[in-house]
Each structure stands twice: as structure tokens, then as C-alpha cells.
Amino acid sequence: QVRLVESGGGLVKPGGSLRLSCAASGFTFSDSYMSWIRQAPGKGLEWLSYISTSGNTMYYADSVKGRFTISRDNAKNSLLLQMNSLRAEDTAVYHCVRGGRSHFDYWGQGTLVTVSS
Amino acid sequence: QSALSQPASVSGSPGQSITISCTGTSSDVGGYNYVSWCQQHPGKAPKLMIYDVSKRPSGVSNRFSASKSGNTASLTISGLQAEDEADYYCSSYTNSGSHVFGTGTKVTVL
């Protein structure tokens, strides 16, 4: 079955960096658009970024453009999110999600990122 | 990109039908047939319920249906059951290549 497992979350100071990873299994990763979506505590869902199957095309939400970078390694079935210049408002659970254009059909459980001094 | 507008809460008794609206603009909901709906129970990851405006993924109950008219999409849950109590979010592709989610609706089964 489809499985998406995020890792790399934790506590980081404002201005710091963090790199999230997502291990994918149960489907042909290289054929799937992939996305990162986050949810701040007690808040709604916020789409952040998606990447094409080849990794050549990426889109970002304005809130993270220039600070976050999405990438993928199709040989390792992994999705990455490099987060720089982190702010308190980036505190959230970050979900790795299959999909990127029409819809998001499988979600990981997420990894918690806390930005605090 | 502003969030799509959803009612904060909707409630209904078991067996009843409820409808959740999702209002956007011609740049998102009105411009593409890439509207989807997901369900989220507390502490759980979201689950896709509807995609491409009105299509149901395999395994999703046919009590869930959806449609779109202009810039507003709607999700209807028929024969409301206790297990339907959850948060529901719409989302849409946008003309900038991004996605936008709705503000979310808490469904309560009375």
C-alpha cells in the first residue's frame, strides 16, 4: 500500500534551517507529482510546494518562495524540503503528499517543525 | 493567494443531508475543474474524498457527492453518520500554478 513517512522535524531557532525528508513506498514514485502541505497548530491546511515527476518544475506558495526549496531523488524514492530563514509562523506539522496538479490523494502523518527561541 | 471561503461549521442529525460550500474566484475554483475535498479527523492526516470537482476515489462512500457552479463548489454528505464528524477542506488549482485550500468546515453530527 502507499506509504509516505516524513522525518527531520524538530525545534529550531528563528532564522535557522531544517531539512525535511519523505520516504515513499507502495507506488511508482518517479511517475508521481509530489507536494508539501503544512498545518499550523489548530489551523487549516496550507499548500507549500509541488514538484514534477522529473524534478524540473517546481511551484511555491508566496509565503515560502525564496526560503524553501523542494527537491526529489527518484532513485531513492525520496522527497525533500530544505527550509531556510525559518520564522515563528512556520511552526506547523509538515505533510508529504502525493499529487501536485489536480488533487492530493495520499498523505503522510507529518513531522512537526517548531520555530522558537 | 487568499484562502477559499468555507463556513466555519455545519451540523446535522444522523440520516440528514448537509452541504458545505467553497467559494473562490475565476482564478481558481471558477477557472479549473481541479477542485477537491478532503476529510480530516482529529489528530489524523487528511483523506481525499472528492477530486476533479465530483469524482470519488475508490473506497469513498457514495454518500459523498460534489459539484461546482461558477466560482463556488459544494460538497454534500447524505445520510449523515457519526463517523462523518470531522473537518472538511476544499482545495483548487490556481492560474498561477499553485494550489489554495479552503478555510475549513467543522461538521458536527448532532
Side-chain angles (χ1 to χ4, degrees):
Chain A
Q1 75 280 22
V2 173
R3 191 166 151 84
L4 298 166
V5 180
E6 304 90 341
S7 60
L11 176 63
V12 61
K13 288 181 167 54
S17 298
L18 214 53
R19 190 189 199 205
L20 304 184
S21 298
C22 170
S25 60
F27 64 102
T28 306
F29 181 76
S30 58
D31 287 346
S32 300
Y33 274 61
M34 296 295 298
S35 297
W36 287 99
I37 295 169
R38 71 183 178 187
Q39 187 169 31
K43 302 296 184 181
L45 300 170
E46 181 186 13
W47 172 83
L48 298 180
S49 178
Y50 76 80
I51 188 168
S52 63
T53 54
S54 64
N56 290 340
T57 301
M58 294 84 79
Y59 284 90
Y60 297 94
D62 289 343
S63 59
V64 303
K65 198 174 297 182
R67 300 189 300 125
F68 290 12
T69 301
I70 191 171
S71 61
R72 64 191 297 159
D73 185 337
N74 285 342
K76 295 182 179 179
N77 288 352
S78 68
L79 180 71
L80 303 169
L81 186 68
Q82 177 66 42
M83 305 186 296
N84 298 330
S85 303
L86 283 162
R87 308 164 180 165
E89 54 264 36
D90 294 318
T91 293
V93 172
Y94 285 71
H95 294 277
C96 168
V97 186
R98 190 176 83 163
R101 283 184 62 83
S102 68
H103 60 278
F104 310 106
D105 58 359
Y106 290 99
W107 297 62
Q109 285 300 315
T111 185
L112 176 63
V113 172
T114 303
V115 184
S116 174
S117 54
Chain B
Q1 185 73 47
S2 299
L4 306 176
S5 182
Q6 297 181 233
S9 63
V10 174
S11 62
S13 299
Q16 287 187 329
S17 294
I18 61 169
T19 296
I20 303 168
S21 61
C22 168
T23 302
T25 68
S26 58
S27 297
D28 39 63
V29 174
Y32 302 91
N33 286 327
Y34 287 156
V35 178
S36 60
W37 293 86
C38 63
Q39 174 195 64
Q40 186 179 33
H41 286 108
K44 301 291 187 181
K47 174 188 175 183
L48 179 67
M49 304 302 282
I50 296 285
Y51 68 98
D52 292 355
V53 176
S54 60
K55 297 177 181 176
R56 271 191 316 275
S58 174
V60 171
S61 171
N62 59 9
R63 296 185 299 104
F64 291 84
S65 61
S67 61
K68 187 186 81 167
S69 177
N71 297 336
T72 298
S74 299
L75 173 72
T76 297
I77 308 175
S78 304
L80 199 61
Q81 298 180 1
E83 68 207 48
D84 300 332
E85 187 161 292
D87 294 327
Y88 291 82
Y89 295 90
C90 61
S91 69
S92 175
Y93 183 72
T94 80
N95 64 357
S96 62
S98 65
H99 279 267
V100 61
F101 279 94
T103 49
T105 298
K106 182 176 181 61
V107 168
T108 301
V109 181
L110 302 171

